């Protein structure tokens, strides 16, 4: 009986696994109007060594929040694929910042079987660069050549922020970096540090600076509060200076 049970289990047909698809990228955050490179792949192990004719193709597009296709945003927007071989596509971020969706539709057909379609989506964020800038001061004049610097944002060293700067005759220099990111709204910090191996006594290095995303450090609320106070002052002055009408002493009854 045990042998029959084992035989019954072995005779259960295996379920066909779905092909694997993937959209890969180094980053899904792209500066507005700039390009980002993505890789797409279709992989089906069951197709390896098959003698049947196999066709695999794709169509790709970028859509906005309304589902409307952004014209000429993906290149190439269609083509043929080889099983388990990745291909690169270029996505041009729209000029308007926001969230977009990269949609890739894979179509494959094996032999005389019907065509099958798999659709995959990835969020792409188009962002305006956040310019970070620091003024450095070298009053001692002991740095003649360019110095290497890194920007540190929210405590993290940004590896691609490496820049070099030289000092002017007055002993000052400005280090700037366009940060391409989609940070959360609110308060953030940044500072500039010297590259590894450089120990420099320069004013401005290592000093923490604050910036805000999505707000301006309550500036709007402060302006409204000040405006309210000014209006109230004018109202009080008007009430205080308003002439009091004297209707005289009431006549006594006769």
């Amino acid at each position: 009986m045990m042998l029959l049970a084992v035989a019954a289990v072995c005779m259960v047909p295996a379920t066909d696994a779905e092909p694997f698809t993937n959209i890969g990228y180094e980053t899904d955050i792209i500066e507005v109007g700039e390009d980002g490179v993505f890789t797409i792949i279709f992989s089906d192990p069951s197709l390896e060594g098959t003698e049947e004719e196999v066709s695999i193709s794709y169509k790709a597009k970028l859509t906005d929040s309304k589902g409307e296709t952004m014209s000429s945003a993906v290149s190439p927007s269609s083509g043929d694929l080889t099983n388990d071989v990745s291909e690169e596509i270029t996505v041009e971020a729209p000029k308007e910042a926001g969230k977009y969706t990269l949609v890739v539709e894979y179509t494959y057909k094996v032999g005389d079987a019907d065509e099958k379609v798999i659709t995959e989506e990835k969020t792409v964020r188009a962002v305006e660069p956040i310019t970070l800038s620091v003024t450095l001061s070298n009053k001692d004049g002991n740095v003649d050549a360019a110095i290497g610097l890194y920007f540190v944002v929210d405590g993290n060293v940004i590896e691609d922020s490496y820049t070099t700067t030289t000092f002017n005759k007055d002993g000052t220099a400005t280090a700037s970096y366009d940060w391409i990111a989609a940070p959360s709204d609110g308060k953030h910090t940044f500072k500039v540090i010297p590259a590894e191996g450089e120990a420099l006594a320069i004013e401005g290095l290592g000093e923490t600076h604050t910036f805000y995303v999505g707000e301006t450090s309550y500036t709007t609320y402060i302006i409204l509060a000040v405006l309210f106070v000014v209006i109230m002052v004018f109202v009080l002055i008007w009430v205080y200076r308003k002439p009091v009408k004297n209707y005289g002493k009431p006549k006594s009854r006769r």
Side-chain angles (χ1 to χ4, degrees):
M1 293 294 292
M2 182 63 70
L3 292 175
L4 291 176
V6 173
V9 172
C10 293
M11 291 176 63
V12 176
T15 304
D16 291 337
E18 286 291 326
F20 168 79
T21 63
N22 184 61
I23 300 174
Y25 48 85
E26 289 188 4
T27 177
D28 61 346
I29 302 172
I30 309 173
E31 182 181 352
V32 291
E34 297 297 324
D35 293 342
V37 177
F38 293 74
T39 59
I40 58 175
I41 190 171
F42 177 99
S43 179
D44 187 348
S46 67
L47 299 181
E48 296 180 6
T50 182
E51 296 182 356
E52 294 185 281
E53 183 179 356
V54 178
S55 64
I56 309 170
S57 62
Y58 77 92
K59 292 181 180 179
K61 62 182 179 180
L62 190 70
T63 62
D64 61 13
S65 58
K66 298 178 181 179
E68 298 179 355
T69 301
M70 311 304 295
S71 178
S72 303
V74 182
S75 177
S77 59
S78 63
D80 294 327
L81 296 174
T82 301
N83 185 46
D84 205 28
V85 177
S86 62
E87 293 288 342
E88 288 187 349
I89 58 176
T90 300
V91 176
E92 181 181 358
K95 297 185 183 299
E96 183 177 348
K99 285 187 177 181
Y100 298 85
T101 303
L102 175 60
V103 183
V104 180
E105 182 181 273
Y106 304 87
T107 301
Y108 66 103
K109 179 179 173 63
V110 181
D112 296 329
D114 295 334
E115 282 189 346
K116 294 183 179 181
V117 177
I118 298 176
T119 301
E120 187 177 8
E121 298 182 353
K122 288 292 183 182
T123 298
V124 176
R125 287 170 287 183
V127 300
E128 295 281 357
I130 299 173
T131 301
L132 307 176
S133 182
V134 175
T135 298
L136 305 176
S137 178
N138 177 34
K139 295 181 179 179
D140 294 337
N142 58 349
V143 177
D144 297 325
I147 62 172
L149 304 170
Y150 281 105
F151 278 77
V152 180
V153 182
D154 293 335
N156 300 312
V157 178
I158 309 301
E159 293 298 334
D160 67 354
S161 70
Y162 178 81
T163 184
T164 58
T165 185
T166 55
F167 287 88
N168 301 318
K169 292 181 179 180
D170 62 357
T172 63
T174 300
S176 297
Y177 171 63
D178 286 339
W179 187 38
I180 308 301
S184 59
D185 288 348
K187 180 181 177 180
H188 296 269
T189 61
F190 78 96
K191 62 183 177 181
V192 173
I193 61 173
E196 185 177 356
E198 296 187 47
L200 304 172
I202 297 174
E203 291 183 16
L205 286 179
E207 294 181 5
T208 300
H209 304 270
T210 300
F211 67 99
Y212 293 82
V213 174
E215 56 183 80
T216 56
S217 183
Y218 303 104
T219 300
T220 302
Y221 299 101
I222 294 173
I223 293 174
L224 291 176
V226 172
L227 183 61
F228 175 77
V229 171
V230 171
I231 293 175
M232 291 303 299
V233 169
F234 277 106
V235 170
L236 290 174
I237 293 175
W238 179 79
V239 171
Y240 179 78
R241 299 184 61 182
K242 183 179 180 181
V244 179
K245 293 183 179 180
N246 186 1
Y247 293 97
K249 187 176 181 180
K251 294 181 180 181
S252 60
R253 294 183 181 180
R254 294 182 179 181

